[in-house]
mmCIF file of all heavy atoms in Angstrom:
data_model
loop_
_atom_site.group_PDB
_atom_site.id
_atom_site.type_symbol
_atom_site.label_atom_id
_atom_site.label_comp_id
_atom_site.label_asym_id
_atom_site.label_seq_id
_atom_site.Cartn_x
_atom_site.Cartn_y
_atom_site.Cartn_z
ATOM 1 N N SER P 66 114.500 29.919 29.279
ATOM 2 C CA SER P 66 115.732 30.705 29.144
ATOM 3 C C SER P 66 116.209 31.274 30.463
ATOM 4 O O SER P 66 117.176 32.030 30.494
ATOM 5 C CB SER P 66 115.496 31.869 28.164
ATOM 6 O OG SER P 66 114.994 31.390 26.935
ATOM 7 N N SER P 67 115.562 30.914 31.558
ATOM 8 C CA SER P 67 115.862 31.557 32.834
ATOM 9 C C SER P 67 117.320 31.486 33.266
ATOM 10 O O SER P 67 117.836 32.447 33.838
ATOM 11 C CB SER P 67 114.964 30.973 33.934
ATOM 12 O OG SER P 67 115.143 29.574 34.049
ATOM 13 N N PRO P 68 118.029 30.407 33.023
ATOM 14 C CA PRO P 68 119.430 30.410 33.448
ATOM 15 C C PRO P 68 120.243 31.523 32.806
ATOM 16 O O PRO P 68 121.187 32.039 33.400
ATOM 17 C CB PRO P 68 119.934 29.026 33.012
ATOM 18 C CG PRO P 68 118.703 28.184 32.952
ATOM 19 C CD PRO P 68 117.629 29.096 32.472
ATOM 20 N N ALA P 69 119.880 31.889 31.582
ATOM 21 C CA ALA P 69 120.651 32.921 30.876
ATOM 22 C C ALA P 69 120.058 34.309 31.062
ATOM 23 O O ALA P 69 120.707 35.302 30.786
ATOM 24 C CB ALA P 69 120.711 32.596 29.382
ATOM 25 N N VAL P 70 118.792 34.389 31.514
ATOM 26 C CA VAL P 70 118.099 35.673 31.556
ATOM 27 C C VAL P 70 117.933 36.203 32.976
ATOM 28 O O VAL P 70 118.154 37.371 33.254
ATOM 29 C CB VAL P 70 116.717 35.544 30.865
ATOM 30 C CG1 VAL P 70 115.925 36.823 31.041
ATOM 31 C CG2 VAL P 70 116.898 35.224 29.389
ATOM 32 N N ILE P 71 117.522 35.322 33.875
ATOM 33 C CA ILE P 71 117.235 35.771 35.239
ATOM 34 C C ILE P 71 118.532 36.141 35.958
ATOM 35 O O ILE P 71 119.602 35.625 35.669
ATOM 36 C CB ILE P 71 116.476 34.662 36.001
ATOM 37 C CG1 ILE P 71 115.116 34.439 35.326
ATOM 38 C CG2 ILE P 71 116.279 35.005 37.461
ATOM 39 C CD1 ILE P 71 114.298 33.338 35.947
ATOM 40 N N ASN P 72 118.376 37.047 36.965
ATOM 41 C CA ASN P 72 119.485 37.481 37.820
ATOM 42 C C ASN P 72 120.525 38.305 37.058
ATOM 43 O O ASN P 72 121.670 38.374 37.461
ATOM 44 C CB ASN P 72 120.172 36.278 38.499
ATOM 45 C CG ASN P 72 119.207 35.513 39.384
ATOM 46 O OD1 ASN P 72 118.338 36.126 40.009
ATOM 47 N ND2 ASN P 72 119.354 34.203 39.424
ATOM 48 N N LYS P 73 120.134 38.887 35.984
ATOM 49 C CA LYS P 73 121.044 39.790 35.263
ATOM 50 C C LYS P 73 120.572 41.222 35.475
ATOM 51 O O LYS P 73 119.403 41.478 35.755
ATOM 52 C CB LYS P 73 121.060 39.445 33.764
ATOM 53 C CG LYS P 73 121.593 38.051 33.492
ATOM 54 C CD LYS P 73 123.044 37.956 33.884
ATOM 55 C CE LYS P 73 123.607 36.581 33.603
ATOM 56 N NZ LYS P 73 123.024 35.553 34.413
ATOM 57 N N ARG P 74 121.449 42.166 35.289
ATOM 58 C CA ARG P 74 121.075 43.567 35.440
ATOM 59 C C ARG P 74 120.113 44.021 34.346
ATOM 60 O O ARG P 74 119.327 44.929 34.540
ATOM 61 C CB ARG P 74 122.324 44.448 35.417
ATOM 62 C CG ARG P 74 123.222 44.276 36.638
ATOM 63 C CD ARG P 74 124.357 45.286 36.599
ATOM 64 N NE ARG P 74 125.182 45.182 37.790
ATOM 65 C CZ ARG P 74 126.235 45.961 38.028
ATOM 66 N NH1 ARG P 74 126.593 46.865 37.119
ATOM 67 N NH2 ARG P 74 126.922 45.826 39.134
ATOM 68 N N THR P 75 120.207 43.401 33.210
ATOM 69 C CA THR P 75 119.328 43.796 32.115
ATOM 70 C C THR P 75 117.889 43.417 32.451
ATOM 71 O O THR P 75 117.615 42.289 32.857
ATOM 72 C CB THR P 75 119.749 43.107 30.803
ATOM 73 O OG1 THR P 75 121.118 43.377 30.558
ATOM 74 C CG2 THR P 75 118.911 43.626 29.646
ATOM 75 N N GLU P 76 116.967 44.356 32.277
ATOM 76 C CA GLU P 76 115.572 44.098 32.595
ATOM 77 C C GLU P 76 114.922 43.244 31.505
ATOM 78 O O GLU P 76 115.304 43.300 30.333
ATOM 79 C CB GLU P 76 114.807 45.408 32.766
ATOM 80 C CG GLU P 76 115.317 46.215 33.951
ATOM 81 C CD GLU P 76 114.458 47.425 34.246
ATOM 82 O OE1 GLU P 76 113.374 47.541 33.668
ATOM 83 O OE2 GLU P 76 114.871 48.247 35.016
ATOM 84 N N VAL P 77 113.928 42.450 31.928
ATOM 85 C CA VAL P 77 113.251 41.510 31.038
ATOM 86 C C VAL P 77 111.769 41.865 30.992
ATOM 87 O O VAL P 77 111.162 42.209 32.007
ATOM 88 C CB VAL P 77 113.436 40.058 31.521
ATOM 89 C CG1 VAL P 77 112.692 39.089 30.610
ATOM 90 C CG2 VAL P 77 114.916 39.708 31.592
ATOM 91 N N GLN P 78 111.198 41.770 29.798
ATOM 92 C CA GLN P 78 109.773 42.053 29.623
ATOM 93 C C GLN P 78 109.151 40.957 28.770
ATOM 94 O O GLN P 78 109.706 40.574 27.738
ATOM 95 C CB GLN P 78 109.598 43.422 28.950
ATOM 96 C CG GLN P 78 108.151 43.830 28.724
ATOM 97 C CD GLN P 78 108.057 45.188 28.043
ATOM 98 O OE1 GLN P 78 108.947 46.035 28.190
ATOM 99 N NE2 GLN P 78 107.011 45.388 27.281
ATOM 100 N N ILE P 79 108.015 40.411 29.223
ATOM 101 C CA ILE P 79 107.303 39.379 28.465
ATOM 102 C C ILE P 79 106.455 40.061 27.394
ATOM 103 O O ILE P 79 105.735 41.023 27.673
ATOM 104 C CB ILE P 79 106.406 38.526 29.374
ATOM 105 C CG1 ILE P 79 107.223 37.957 30.552
ATOM 106 C CG2 ILE P 79 105.747 37.405 28.574
ATOM 107 C CD1 ILE P 79 108.342 37.045 30.131
ATOM 108 N N ILE P 80 106.531 39.570 26.176
ATOM 109 C CA ILE P 80 105.769 40.154 25.074
ATOM 110 C C ILE P 80 104.329 39.655 25.129
ATOM 111 O O ILE P 80 104.079 38.451 25.213
ATOM 112 C CB ILE P 80 106.384 39.773 23.709
ATOM 113 C CG1 ILE P 80 107.813 40.317 23.595
ATOM 114 C CG2 ILE P 80 105.522 40.295 22.567
ATOM 115 C CD1 ILE P 80 108.527 39.873 22.326
ATOM 116 N N GLY P 81 103.384 40.595 25.098
ATOM 117 C CA GLY P 81 101.979 40.237 24.954
ATOM 118 C C GLY P 81 101.647 40.196 23.465
ATOM 119 O O GLY P 81 101.967 41.130 22.733
ATOM 120 N N ARG P 82 101.039 39.102 23.001
ATOM 121 C CA ARG P 82 100.730 38.978 21.571
ATOM 122 C C ARG P 82 99.229 38.817 21.381
ATOM 123 O O ARG P 82 98.528 38.243 22.223
ATOM 124 C CB ARG P 82 101.493 37.805 20.968
ATOM 125 C CG ARG P 82 103.007 37.966 21.116
ATOM 126 C CD ARG P 82 103.771 36.746 20.662
ATOM 127 N NE ARG P 82 103.805 36.656 19.206
ATOM 128 C CZ ARG P 82 104.315 35.612 18.550
ATOM 129 N NH1 ARG P 82 104.793 34.573 19.223
ATOM 130 N NH2 ARG P 82 104.331 35.597 17.240
ATOM 131 N N THR P 83 98.743 39.315 20.277
ATOM 132 C CA THR P 83 97.319 39.281 19.992
ATOM 133 C C THR P 83 97.109 39.028 18.506
ATOM 134 O O THR P 83 98.069 38.710 17.789
ATOM 135 C CB THR P 83 96.643 40.594 20.437
ATOM 136 O OG1 THR P 83 95.230 40.483 20.252
ATOM 137 C CG2 THR P 83 97.158 41.781 19.659
ATOM 138 N N LEU P 84 95.883 39.188 18.028
ATOM 139 C CA LEU P 84 95.553 38.978 16.621
ATOM 140 C C LEU P 84 95.254 40.300 15.934
ATOM 141 O O LEU P 84 94.835 41.272 16.576
ATOM 142 C CB LEU P 84 94.315 38.071 16.492
ATOM 143 C CG LEU P 84 94.413 36.661 17.076
ATOM 144 C CD1 LEU P 84 93.084 35.931 16.884
ATOM 145 C CD2 LEU P 84 95.549 35.873 16.422
ATOM 146 N N SER P 85 95.453 40.300 14.638
ATOM 147 C CA SER P 85 95.008 41.448 13.857
ATOM 148 C C SER P 85 93.486 41.411 13.771
ATOM 149 O O SER P 85 92.862 40.361 13.949
ATOM 150 C CB SER P 85 95.601 41.400 12.452
ATOM 151 O OG SER P 85 95.065 40.304 11.728
ATOM 152 N N LYS P 86 92.884 42.565 13.517
ATOM 153 C CA LYS P 86 91.431 42.605 13.386
ATOM 154 C C LYS P 86 90.959 41.749 12.213
ATOM 155 O O LYS P 86 89.897 41.128 12.275
ATOM 156 C CB LYS P 86 90.966 44.050 13.217
ATOM 157 C CG LYS P 86 91.021 44.853 14.506
ATOM 158 C CD LYS P 86 90.406 46.226 14.343
ATOM 159 C CE LYS P 86 90.425 46.962 15.684
ATOM 160 N NZ LYS P 86 89.861 48.326 15.565
ATOM 161 N N ALA P 87 91.773 41.712 11.136
ATOM 162 C CA ALA P 87 91.405 40.899 9.975
ATOM 163 C C ALA P 87 91.350 39.418 10.345
ATOM 164 O O ALA P 87 90.442 38.684 9.928
ATOM 165 C CB ALA P 87 92.403 41.123 8.846
ATOM 166 N N GLY P 88 92.325 38.940 11.147
ATOM 167 C CA GLY P 88 92.331 37.547 11.575
ATOM 168 C C GLY P 88 91.168 37.239 12.503
ATOM 169 O O GLY P 88 90.535 36.181 12.392
ATOM 170 N N TRP P 89 90.869 38.153 13.409
ATOM 171 C CA TRP P 89 89.789 37.930 14.368
ATOM 172 C C TRP P 89 88.428 37.862 13.666
ATOM 173 O O TRP P 89 87.561 37.084 14.049
ATOM 174 C CB TRP P 89 89.806 39.043 15.405
ATOM 175 C CG TRP P 89 88.660 39.012 16.376
ATOM 176 C CD1 TRP P 89 87.681 39.934 16.541
ATOM 177 C CD2 TRP P 89 88.377 37.976 17.330
ATOM 178 N NE1 TRP P 89 86.817 39.556 17.520
ATOM 179 C CE2 TRP P 89 87.215 38.354 18.034
ATOM 180 C CE3 TRP P 89 88.992 36.761 17.644
ATOM 181 C CZ2 TRP P 89 86.653 37.577 19.038
ATOM 182 C CZ3 TRP P 89 88.431 35.979 18.650
ATOM 183 C CH2 TRP P 89 87.277 36.382 19.340
ATOM 184 N N GLU P 90 88.248 38.674 12.619
ATOM 185 C CA GLU P 90 86.985 38.658 11.882
ATOM 186 C C GLU P 90 86.696 37.278 11.291
ATOM 187 O O GLU P 90 85.546 36.889 11.110
ATOM 188 C CB GLU P 90 87.008 39.709 10.766
ATOM 189 C CG GLU P 90 86.939 41.145 11.244
ATOM 190 C CD GLU P 90 85.593 41.473 11.869
ATOM 191 O OE1 GLU P 90 84.574 40.896 11.412
ATOM 192 O OE2 GLU P 90 85.558 42.278 12.823
ATOM 193 N N LYS P 91 87.752 36.506 10.994
ATOM 194 C CA LYS P 91 87.565 35.191 10.375
ATOM 195 C C LYS P 91 86.980 34.159 11.335
ATOM 196 O O LYS P 91 86.384 33.167 10.893
ATOM 197 C CB LYS P 91 88.896 34.674 9.831
ATOM 198 C CG LYS P 91 89.473 35.508 8.692
ATOM 199 C CD LYS P 91 90.816 34.945 8.251
ATOM 200 C CE LYS P 91 91.440 35.781 7.131
ATOM 201 N NZ LYS P 91 92.754 35.240 6.697
ATOM 202 N N ILE P 92 87.159 34.340 12.630
ATOM 203 C CA ILE P 92 86.768 33.289 13.570
ATOM 204 C C ILE P 92 85.774 33.734 14.629
ATOM 205 O O ILE P 92 85.232 32.890 15.353
ATOM 206 C CB ILE P 92 88.003 32.695 14.284
ATOM 207 C CG1 ILE P 92 88.715 33.774 15.114
ATOM 208 C CG2 ILE P 92 88.948 32.065 13.287
ATOM 209 C CD1 ILE P 92 89.804 33.232 16.012
ATOM 210 N N LYS P 93 85.502 35.020 14.770
ATOM 211 C CA LYS P 93 84.724 35.480 15.924
ATOM 212 C C LYS P 93 83.292 34.957 15.925
ATOM 213 O O LYS P 93 82.655 34.897 16.978
ATOM 214 C CB LYS P 93 84.728 37.010 15.995
ATOM 215 C CG LYS P 93 83.961 37.704 14.893
ATOM 216 C CD LYS P 93 83.954 39.212 15.112
ATOM 217 C CE LYS P 93 83.092 39.923 14.074
ATOM 218 N NZ LYS P 93 83.070 41.387 14.305
ATOM 219 N N ASN P 94 82.793 34.567 14.767
ATOM 220 C CA ASN P 94 81.416 34.071 14.689
ATOM 221 C C ASN P 94 81.341 32.576 14.356
ATOM 222 O O ASN P 94 80.335 32.096 13.818
ATOM 223 C CB ASN P 94 80.621 34.873 13.652
ATOM 224 C CG ASN P 94 80.465 36.323 14.056
ATOM 225 O OD1 ASN P 94 80.210 36.636 15.222
ATOM 226 N ND2 ASN P 94 80.620 37.229 13.096
ATOM 227 N N LEU P 95 82.385 31.810 14.655
ATOM 228 C CA LEU P 95 82.382 30.371 14.368
ATOM 229 C C LEU P 95 81.274 29.666 15.141
ATOM 230 O O LEU P 95 81.045 29.950 16.326
ATOM 231 C CB LEU P 95 83.731 29.752 14.743
ATOM 232 C CG LEU P 95 84.920 30.033 13.811
ATOM 233 C CD1 LEU P 95 86.160 29.374 14.368
ATOM 234 C CD2 LEU P 95 84.644 29.549 12.393
ATOM 235 N N PRO P 96 80.606 28.684 14.509
ATOM 236 C CA PRO P 96 79.574 27.923 15.223
ATOM 237 C C PRO P 96 80.209 26.933 16.200
ATOM 238 O O PRO P 96 81.419 26.658 16.147
ATOM 239 C CB PRO P 96 78.838 27.200 14.094
ATOM 240 C CG PRO P 96 79.845 27.081 12.998
ATOM 241 C CD PRO P 96 80.702 28.309 13.090
ATOM 242 N N ASP P 97 79.411 26.400 17.089
ATOM 243 C CA ASP P 97 79.891 25.410 18.054
ATOM 244 C C ASP P 97 80.502 24.221 17.317
ATOM 245 O O ASP P 97 80.064 23.838 16.223
ATOM 246 C CB ASP P 97 78.740 24.925 18.929
ATOM 247 C CG ASP P 97 78.164 26.039 19.780
ATOM 248 O OD1 ASP P 97 78.739 27.154 19.776
ATOM 249 O OD2 ASP P 97 77.142 25.802 20.439
ATOM 250 N N GLY P 98 81.508 23.605 17.936
ATOM 251 C CA GLY P 98 82.126 22.427 17.344
ATOM 252 C C GLY P 98 83.576 22.286 17.735
ATOM 253 O O GLY P 98 84.116 23.083 18.510
ATOM 254 N N ASN P 99 84.247 21.261 17.193
ATOM 255 C CA ASN P 99 85.658 21.010 17.452
ATOM 256 C C ASN P 99 86.501 21.634 16.339
ATOM 257 O O ASN P 99 86.185 21.502 15.145
ATOM 258 C CB ASN P 99 85.940 19.509 17.525
ATOM 259 C CG ASN P 99 85.277 18.868 18.725
ATOM 260 O OD1 ASN P 99 85.014 19.527 19.725
ATOM 261 N ND2 ASN P 99 84.993 17.576 18.634
ATOM 262 N N TYR P 100 87.596 22.302 16.751
ATOM 263 C CA TYR P 100 88.519 22.906 15.793
ATOM 264 C C TYR P 100 89.931 22.622 16.286
ATOM 265 O O TYR P 100 90.221 22.728 17.480
ATOM 266 C CB TYR P 100 88.311 24.416 15.714
ATOM 267 C CG TYR P 100 86.927 24.817 15.253
ATOM 268 C CD1 TYR P 100 85.882 24.917 16.166
ATOM 269 C CD2 TYR P 100 86.676 25.090 13.915
ATOM 270 C CE1 TYR P 100 84.611 25.292 15.759
ATOM 271 C CE2 TYR P 100 85.409 25.462 13.494
ATOM 272 C CZ TYR P 100 84.374 25.563 14.417
ATOM 273 O OH TYR P 100 83.127 25.926 14.016
ATOM 274 N N MET P 101 90.816 22.228 15.344
ATOM 275 C CA MET P 101 92.210 22.040 15.733
ATOM 276 C C MET P 101 92.955 23.362 15.524
ATOM 277 O O MET P 101 92.694 24.101 14.580
ATOM 278 C CB MET P 101 92.862 20.904 14.932
ATOM 279 C CG MET P 101 93.066 21.164 13.460
ATOM 280 S SD MET P 101 94.076 19.877 12.679
ATOM 281 C CE MET P 101 93.078 18.414 12.932
ATOM 282 N N VAL P 102 93.844 23.682 16.466
ATOM 283 C CA VAL P 102 94.671 24.882 16.382
ATOM 284 C C VAL P 102 96.098 24.428 16.124
ATOM 285 O O VAL P 102 96.696 23.715 16.951
ATOM 286 C CB VAL P 102 94.581 25.719 17.670
ATOM 287 C CG1 VAL P 102 95.523 26.905 17.594
ATOM 288 C CG2 VAL P 102 93.141 26.183 17.895
#
Side-chain angles (χ1 to χ4, degrees):
S66 306
S67 58
V70 174
I71 296 178
N72 299 325
K73 297 295 181 294
R74 291 186 177 181
T75 306
E76 296 188 10
V77 178
Q78 180 181 332
I79 307 298
I80 298 175
R82 300 174 75 186
T83 185
L84 299 179
S85 67
K86 286 187 177 179
W89 174 244
E90 289 293 327
K91 295 178 181 180
I92 62 171
K93 69 176 185 179
N94 295 318
L95 285 178
D97 296 354
N99 293 335
Y100 299 85
M101 68 171 62
V102 176

